[in-house]
Amino acid sequence: MATWDLDLKTDTIVYSPRLSQIFGHELLDNQEHKFVRRQIHPEDEEVVRKAFDKALVSGNYQYEARIIKPDQNISWIKTQGKIFYNIDNEPIKLIGTVQDITEEKKYQRELEESEEKFRLLSESIPQFTWTSNRQGEITYFNDAVYTYSGLTPVALQRVFGRT
């Protein structure tokens, strides 16, 4: 995790050394915010812009986006921050953190792919398949259960808990 302090009037940024590593640099000499912003993946620029616009209203800045490192590898970052205002209620400073979440995104994608494979397999077999949470509440039935029972998801929910 890295910390940063962005002067909104001059667009200069002061940051911890970890920020350079997250963005794939040995050491960033450049103190301009736009230097770091250029590494945002083009498909995620709108996410960052919307987060900033929202922060100007709410005071809280947060987003997840991809960055392109100098070696052309793509990483995911999570940014969180808070806007500070002057006495005239004008935004003057944005202070926050940035974290490399590439590994978490990788695991999340793998889990989603695994869940999708389970669903595809479950829906393609005639056997009854269901899952439950730790409290024993049924959280999923495959279509074979609905077909055999003739019950709707709402009716099964009343019998077994949430579905």
Side-chain angles (χ1 to χ4, degrees), residues 58-74:
S58 71
N60 295 313
Y61 185 54
Q62 59 184 24
Y63 67 85
E64 291 181 3
R66 293 166 291 175
I67 58 171
I68 303 172
K69 295 183 176 183
D71 63 6
Q72 300 305 304
N73 282 323
I74 295 176

PDB file of all heavy atoms in Angstrom, residues 58-74:
ATOM      1  N   SER A  58     -19.097  14.264  -2.671  1.00  0.00           N
ATOM      2  CA  SER A  58     -19.191  13.532  -1.396  1.00  0.00           C
ATOM      3  C   SER A  58     -17.994  13.747  -0.471  1.00  0.00           C
ATOM      4  O   SER A  58     -18.099  13.524   0.730  1.00  0.00           O
ATOM      5  CB  SER A  58     -19.334  12.041  -1.668  1.00  0.00           C
ATOM      6  OG  SER A  58     -18.119  11.502  -2.164  1.00  0.00           O
ATOM      7  N   GLY A  59     -16.852  14.097  -1.049  1.00  0.00           N
ATOM      8  CA  GLY A  59     -15.630  14.229  -0.260  1.00  0.00           C
ATOM      9  C   GLY A  59     -14.827  12.945  -0.169  1.00  0.00           C
ATOM     10  O   GLY A  59     -13.688  12.951   0.273  1.00  0.00           O
ATOM     11  N   ASN A  60     -15.416  11.821  -0.609  1.00  0.00           N
ATOM     12  CA  ASN A  60     -14.741  10.519  -0.550  1.00  0.00           C
ATOM     13  C   ASN A  60     -14.399  10.041  -1.954  1.00  0.00           C
ATOM     14  O   ASN A  60     -15.250  10.040  -2.841  1.00  0.00           O
ATOM     15  CB  ASN A  60     -15.622   9.491   0.150  1.00  0.00           C
ATOM     16  CG  ASN A  60     -15.855   9.850   1.589  1.00  0.00           C
ATOM     17  OD1 ASN A  60     -14.934  10.194   2.316  1.00  0.00           O
ATOM     18  ND2 ASN A  60     -17.112   9.801   2.015  1.00  0.00           N
ATOM     19  N   TYR A  61     -13.164   9.608  -2.113  1.00  0.00           N
ATOM     20  CA  TYR A  61     -12.632   9.195  -3.414  1.00  0.00           C
ATOM     21  C   TYR A  61     -12.296   7.720  -3.341  1.00  0.00           C
ATOM     22  O   TYR A  61     -11.542   7.290  -2.461  1.00  0.00           O
ATOM     23  CB  TYR A  61     -11.376  10.026  -3.692  1.00  0.00           C
ATOM     24  CG  TYR A  61     -10.731   9.855  -5.029  1.00  0.00           C
ATOM     25  CD1 TYR A  61     -11.441  10.009  -6.206  1.00  0.00           C
ATOM     26  CD2 TYR A  61      -9.372   9.581  -5.121  1.00  0.00           C
ATOM     27  CE1 TYR A  61     -10.825   9.896  -7.439  1.00  0.00           C
ATOM     28  CE2 TYR A  61      -8.744   9.471  -6.353  1.00  0.00           C
ATOM     29  CZ  TYR A  61      -9.475   9.628  -7.509  1.00  0.00           C
ATOM     30  OH  TYR A  61      -8.864   9.522  -8.719  1.00  0.00           O
ATOM     31  N   GLN A  62     -12.867   6.942  -4.253  1.00  0.00           N
ATOM     32  CA  GLN A  62     -12.513   5.521  -4.293  1.00  0.00           C
ATOM     33  C   GLN A  62     -12.836   4.925  -5.650  1.00  0.00           C
ATOM     34  O   GLN A  62     -13.823   5.286  -6.286  1.00  0.00           O
ATOM     35  CB  GLN A  62     -13.207   4.750  -3.188  1.00  0.00           C
ATOM     36  CG  GLN A  62     -14.710   4.796  -3.198  1.00  0.00           C
ATOM     37  CD  GLN A  62     -15.296   4.074  -1.994  1.00  0.00           C
ATOM     38  OE1 GLN A  62     -14.658   3.917  -0.955  1.00  0.00           O
ATOM     39  NE2 GLN A  62     -16.521   3.634  -2.126  1.00  0.00           N
ATOM     40  N   TYR A  63     -11.958   4.022  -6.084  1.00  0.00           N
ATOM     41  CA  TYR A  63     -12.183   3.289  -7.324  1.00  0.00           C
ATOM     42  C   TYR A  63     -11.223   2.104  -7.392  1.00  0.00           C
ATOM     43  O   TYR A  63     -10.232   2.036  -6.662  1.00  0.00           O
ATOM     44  CB  TYR A  63     -12.008   4.190  -8.554  1.00  0.00           C
ATOM     45  CG  TYR A  63     -10.595   4.682  -8.786  1.00  0.00           C
ATOM     46  CD1 TYR A  63      -9.665   3.905  -9.475  1.00  0.00           C
ATOM     47  CD2 TYR A  63     -10.186   5.920  -8.311  1.00  0.00           C
ATOM     48  CE1 TYR A  63      -8.378   4.356  -9.685  1.00  0.00           C
ATOM     49  CE2 TYR A  63      -8.905   6.377  -8.519  1.00  0.00           C
ATOM     50  CZ  TYR A  63      -8.003   5.587  -9.212  1.00  0.00           C
ATOM     51  OH  TYR A  63      -6.728   6.035  -9.417  1.00  0.00           O
ATOM     52  N   GLU A  64     -11.539   1.190  -8.291  1.00  0.00           N
ATOM     53  CA  GLU A  64     -10.644   0.096  -8.666  1.00  0.00           C
ATOM     54  C   GLU A  64     -10.455   0.215 -10.169  1.00  0.00           C
ATOM     55  O   GLU A  64     -11.426   0.406 -10.905  1.00  0.00           O
ATOM     56  CB  GLU A  64     -11.245  -1.264  -8.318  1.00  0.00           C
ATOM     57  CG  GLU A  64     -11.332  -1.514  -6.838  1.00  0.00           C
ATOM     58  CD  GLU A  64     -11.911  -2.890  -6.491  1.00  0.00           C
ATOM     59  OE1 GLU A  64     -12.210  -3.687  -7.407  1.00  0.00           O
ATOM     60  OE2 GLU A  64     -12.070  -3.157  -5.289  1.00  0.00           O
ATOM     61  N   ALA A  65      -9.208   0.137 -10.615  1.00  0.00           N
ATOM     62  CA  ALA A  65      -8.918   0.284 -12.037  1.00  0.00           C
ATOM     63  C   ALA A  65      -7.629  -0.465 -12.379  1.00  0.00           C
ATOM     64  O   ALA A  65      -6.838  -0.807 -11.503  1.00  0.00           O
ATOM     65  CB  ALA A  65      -8.779   1.753 -12.404  1.00  0.00           C
ATOM     66  N   ARG A  66      -7.450  -0.662 -13.664  1.00  0.00           N
ATOM     67  CA  ARG A  66      -6.213  -1.281 -14.150  1.00  0.00           C
ATOM     68  C   ARG A  66      -5.217  -0.195 -14.517  1.00  0.00           C
ATOM     69  O   ARG A  66      -5.595   0.898 -14.922  1.00  0.00           O
ATOM     70  CB  ARG A  66      -6.508  -2.140 -15.386  1.00  0.00           C
ATOM     71  CG  ARG A  66      -7.348  -3.354 -15.078  1.00  0.00           C
ATOM     72  CD  ARG A  66      -7.895  -3.970 -16.327  1.00  0.00           C
ATOM     73  NE  ARG A  66      -8.894  -3.038 -16.880  1.00  0.00           N
ATOM     74  CZ  ARG A  66      -9.510  -3.221 -18.035  1.00  0.00           C
ATOM     75  NH1 ARG A  66      -9.235  -4.272 -18.781  1.00  0.00           N
ATOM     76  NH2 ARG A  66     -10.411  -2.346 -18.463  1.00  0.00           N
ATOM     77  N   ILE A  67      -3.953  -0.530 -14.349  1.00  0.00           N
ATOM     78  CA  ILE A  67      -2.878   0.351 -14.800  1.00  0.00           C
ATOM     79  C   ILE A  67      -1.984  -0.443 -15.737  1.00  0.00           C
ATOM     80  O   ILE A  67      -1.906  -1.673 -15.652  1.00  0.00           O
ATOM     81  CB  ILE A  67      -2.039   0.916 -13.624  1.00  0.00           C
ATOM     82  CG1 ILE A  67      -1.418  -0.206 -12.794  1.00  0.00           C
ATOM     83  CG2 ILE A  67      -2.872   1.862 -12.785  1.00  0.00           C
ATOM     84  CD1 ILE A  67      -0.405   0.262 -11.755  1.00  0.00           C
ATOM     85  N   ILE A  68      -1.333   0.279 -16.639  1.00  0.00           N
ATOM     86  CA  ILE A  68      -0.363  -0.331 -17.551  1.00  0.00           C
ATOM     87  C   ILE A  68       1.011   0.116 -17.095  1.00  0.00           C
ATOM     88  O   ILE A  68       1.324   1.306 -17.106  1.00  0.00           O
ATOM     89  CB  ILE A  68      -0.619   0.082 -19.010  1.00  0.00           C
ATOM     90  CG1 ILE A  68      -2.052  -0.301 -19.414  1.00  0.00           C
ATOM     91  CG2 ILE A  68       0.410  -0.573 -19.933  1.00  0.00           C
ATOM     92  CD1 ILE A  68      -2.480   0.228 -20.767  1.00  0.00           C
ATOM     93  N   LYS A  69       1.805  -0.862 -16.689  1.00  0.00           N
ATOM     94  CA  LYS A  69       3.149  -0.548 -16.206  1.00  0.00           C
ATOM     95  C   LYS A  69       4.095  -0.316 -17.382  1.00  0.00           C
ATOM     96  O   LYS A  69       3.776  -0.693 -18.516  1.00  0.00           O
ATOM     97  CB  LYS A  69       3.656  -1.695 -15.328  1.00  0.00           C
ATOM     98  CG  LYS A  69       2.849  -1.858 -14.051  1.00  0.00           C
ATOM     99  CD  LYS A  69       3.431  -2.944 -13.179  1.00  0.00           C
ATOM    100  CE  LYS A  69       2.665  -3.031 -11.866  1.00  0.00           C
ATOM    101  NZ  LYS A  69       3.264  -4.025 -10.971  1.00  0.00           N
ATOM    102  N   PRO A  70       5.258   0.279 -17.139  1.00  0.00           N
ATOM    103  CA  PRO A  70       6.208   0.540 -18.229  1.00  0.00           C
ATOM    104  C   PRO A  70       6.605  -0.717 -19.014  1.00  0.00           C
ATOM    105  O   PRO A  70       6.892  -0.630 -20.199  1.00  0.00           O
ATOM    106  CB  PRO A  70       7.429   1.142 -17.512  1.00  0.00           C
ATOM    107  CG  PRO A  70       6.866   1.761 -16.285  1.00  0.00           C
ATOM    108  CD  PRO A  70       5.725   0.861 -15.872  1.00  0.00           C
ATOM    109  N   ASP A  71       6.582  -1.883 -18.347  1.00  0.00           N
ATOM    110  CA  ASP A  71       6.913  -3.125 -19.057  1.00  0.00           C
ATOM    111  C   ASP A  71       5.706  -3.720 -19.781  1.00  0.00           C
ATOM    112  O   ASP A  71       5.753  -4.833 -20.270  1.00  0.00           O
ATOM    113  CB  ASP A  71       7.522  -4.152 -18.091  1.00  0.00           C
ATOM    114  CG  ASP A  71       6.570  -4.594 -16.996  1.00  0.00           C
ATOM    115  OD1 ASP A  71       5.373  -4.208 -17.018  1.00  0.00           O
ATOM    116  OD2 ASP A  71       7.009  -5.350 -16.098  1.00  0.00           O
ATOM    117  N   GLN A  72       4.595  -2.959 -19.832  1.00  0.00           N
ATOM    118  CA  GLN A  72       3.338  -3.309 -20.491  1.00  0.00           C
ATOM    119  C   GLN A  72       2.501  -4.355 -19.750  1.00  0.00           C
ATOM    120  O   GLN A  72       1.473  -4.790 -20.250  1.00  0.00           O
ATOM    121  CB  GLN A  72       3.567  -3.755 -21.951  1.00  0.00           C
ATOM    122  CG  GLN A  72       4.212  -2.683 -22.814  1.00  0.00           C
ATOM    123  CD  GLN A  72       3.431  -1.372 -22.792  1.00  0.00           C
ATOM    124  OE1 GLN A  72       2.258  -1.316 -23.092  1.00  0.00           O
ATOM    125  NE2 GLN A  72       4.112  -0.288 -22.404  1.00  0.00           N
ATOM    126  N   ASN A  73       2.933  -4.769 -18.564  1.00  0.00           N
ATOM    127  CA  ASN A  73       2.101  -5.630 -17.733  1.00  0.00           C
ATOM    128  C   ASN A  73       0.951  -4.809 -17.185  1.00  0.00           C
ATOM    129  O   ASN A  73       1.097  -3.619 -16.924  1.00  0.00           O
ATOM    130  CB  ASN A  73       2.902  -6.236 -16.576  1.00  0.00           C
ATOM    131  CG  ASN A  73       3.759  -7.396 -17.022  1.00  0.00           C
ATOM    132  OD1 ASN A  73       3.358  -8.186 -17.867  1.00  0.00           O
ATOM    133  ND2 ASN A  73       4.952  -7.498 -16.455  1.00  0.00           N
ATOM    134  N   ILE A  74      -0.177  -5.476 -16.996  1.00  0.00           N
ATOM    135  CA  ILE A  74      -1.366  -4.809 -16.460  1.00  0.00           C
ATOM    136  C   ILE A  74      -1.580  -5.266 -15.028  1.00  0.00           C
ATOM    137  O   ILE A  74      -1.523  -6.456 -14.731  1.00  0.00           O
ATOM    138  CB  ILE A  74      -2.601  -5.112 -17.329  1.00  0.00           C
ATOM    139  CG1 ILE A  74      -2.403  -4.507 -18.720  1.00  0.00           C
ATOM    140  CG2 ILE A  74      -3.875  -4.582 -16.677  1.00  0.00           C
ATOM    141  CD1 ILE A  74      -3.499  -4.815 -19.708  1.00  0.00           C
TER     142      ILE A  74
END
